[in-house]
Amino acid sequence: MCGSCALVQQANLPTDEELRIYYSHNYREDYKSTHKPKPKYVYRAGRAALDRLVRIRKAGVPQGETLLDIGAGGGEFVYMAHKGGFVSQGVEPHQGYSEFARDEYGVKIETCQISDIEHPGFGIVTMFHVLEHLAHPEQVMAKVHRLLKEGGHFVLEVPNITQNDASPHNIYFKAHLFYYSRPSLIAAASAYFEPIYVEDTGNLFIVFKRKSNPLPSVLLPSAADVKHVARRLEEKGWGEYLFEGGGLTKIFTRIPKSFREGKVKQMEPKQILDQLHQQPDV
Ligand SMILES: [Zn+2]
């Protein structure tokens, strides 16, 4: 962990070339052992998309804006955002997933990396569980700043290293190069963005507003914030997860969850998302 900005980093970062090959071919297979998302993953992604749209509205981001989702995966968020009134499109490096999104939902998703995106002027850029996979967060911030129009919003969600509700099995993951917390993410974005909405009880969800004039360098968090993150790293473990993070009750909430997911087994991906859009509580 960096003692200045509280960012937690994997000891040996892979090279840019290794990362590029991994995300264009192997990543999804490693992750979920499938080339195309199963109905239950579409259902989960659809529910997550609805939650994110609620938060984006709560943050006061105007509806009807142009939206770019970076790391769009199977395209569920881009499709749900379109149904929710945004003019949405996405980019996704994985061939199979981006094709799936285009074929199943008819959404505009390009198969490419962040560095390939050239058309600026978006009202909103979203990145859900992507930044922690990227080796150059400072370049990502500069790039997103260029992609957004004046007054635009950057919506980020990443795993939160200070959360206590993540199973110790899932805290460290080989594809996660960096581990963020509220202070380190705000610091990482601070040269280009100002936070206007923060949720950090579970995953870290922050809506940033684009600064018209970028700063020459980042603003570091306070020493107290850095100390807090260091203490949270030491406290992590099975005891905390089971008794404070809700680990024990998760065993019981999983039963109705798998029941709901079982009901979508025979449905087409688009049908699943359309039904969720109409009845978000089902
Ligand atoms: Zn640092």
Side-chain angles (χ1 to χ4, degrees):
M1 188 191 106
C2 173
S4 304
C5 69
L7 185 59
V8 177
Q9 189 202 299
Q10 206 181 99
N12 298 303
L13 292 183
T15 66
D16 290 349
E17 184 58 11
E18 281 167 348
L19 287 171
R20 195 190 61 75
I21 293 170
Y22 185 55
Y23 286 109
S24 54
H25 297 90
N26 310 108
Y27 175 60
R28 299 282 173 185
E29 289 87 286
D30 264 21
Y31 205 20
K32 287 173 189 149
S33 58
T34 173
H35 281 270
K36 284 190 174 182
K38 288 182 190 157
K40 72 172 178 188
Y41 292 121
V42 171
Y43 176 81
R44 281 182 203 172
R47 287 188 73 104
L50 285 174
D51 284 350
R52 287 162 185 163
L53 287 166
V54 167
R55 290 180 186 142
I56 289 170
R57 265 176 227 128
K58 266 206 257 174
V61 176
Q63 224 157 324
E65 287 277 10
T66 51
L67 182 153
L68 175 70
D69 187 31
I70 298 178
E76 296 85 1
F77 180 77
V78 172
Y79 183 63
M80 292 306 253
H82 157 74
K83 293 193 80 94
F86 292 101
V87 183
S88 55
Q89 57 177 282
V91 294
E92 163 58 41
H94 191 273
Q95 189 84 40
Y97 266 63
S98 49
E99 253 171 47
F100 171 87
R102 291 189 291 265
D103 293 348
E104 297 292 334
Y105 310 122
V107 289
K108 187 178 170 191
I109 293 192
E110 278 182 75
T111 310
C112 70
Q113 313 265 340
I114 295 188
S115 50
D116 303 324
I117 314 168
E118 267 152 16
H119 30 268
F122 290 97
I124 308 163
V125 169
T126 54
M127 278 178 65
F128 303 118
H129 295 261
V130 170
L131 190 69
E132 68 274 21
H133 298 263
L134 302 175
H136 306 287
E138 71 292 355
Q139 289 175 16
V140 174
M141 297 299 169
K143 176 81 184 194
V144 173
H145 188 266
R146 285 198 298 278
L147 290 174
L148 283 171
K149 66 181 186 189
E150 180 79 40
H153 293 88
F154 184 19
V155 181
L156 268 169
E157 188 180 275
V158 291
N160 180 1
I161 193 68
T162 66
Q163 77 193 89
N164 64 10
D165 61 346
S167 157
H169 271 313
N170 304 327
I171 295 172
Y172 297 106
F173 177 56
K174 73 170 179 182
H176 292 175
L177 310 180
F178 293 103
Y179 296 85
Y180 292 91
S181 55
R182 174 201 280 249
S184 64
L185 185 59
I186 289 175
S190 60
Y192 299 96
F193 301 100
E194 191 181 335
I196 59 163
Y197 180 88
V198 181
E199 274 187 38
D200 74 344
T201 48
N203 283 320
L204 184 57
F205 187 97
I206 304 189
V207 178
F208 289 99
K209 194 168 179 144
R210 184 185 185 274
K211 288 183 177 175
S212 315
N213 302 307
L215 307 175
S217 61
V218 299
L219 303 167
L220 290 174
S222 71
D225 279 344
V226 176
K227 225 176 173 177
H228 173 74
V229 176
R231 197 171 62 236
R232 291 293 303 117
L233 279 182
E234 276 170 22
E235 287 165 356
K236 292 182 98 62
W238 281 104
E240 180 190 78
Y241 168 63
L242 291 173
F243 299 108
E244 289 164 47
L248 281 177
T249 54
K250 270 187 195 174
I251 297 162
F252 301 103
T253 52
R254 256 181 215 141
I255 297 165
K257 194 178 163 193
S258 54
F259 174 71
R260 284 197 308 267
E261 288 172 356
K263 288 201 294 190
V264 302
K265 238 179 197 160
Q266 306 303 327
M267 288 167 68
E268 289 299 313
K270 191 161 178 283
Q271 238 186 322
I272 297 172
L273 296 187
D274 288 345
Q275 186 179 300
L276 267 173
H277 175 73
Q278 266 159 12
Q279 298 166 277
D281 303 322
V282 173

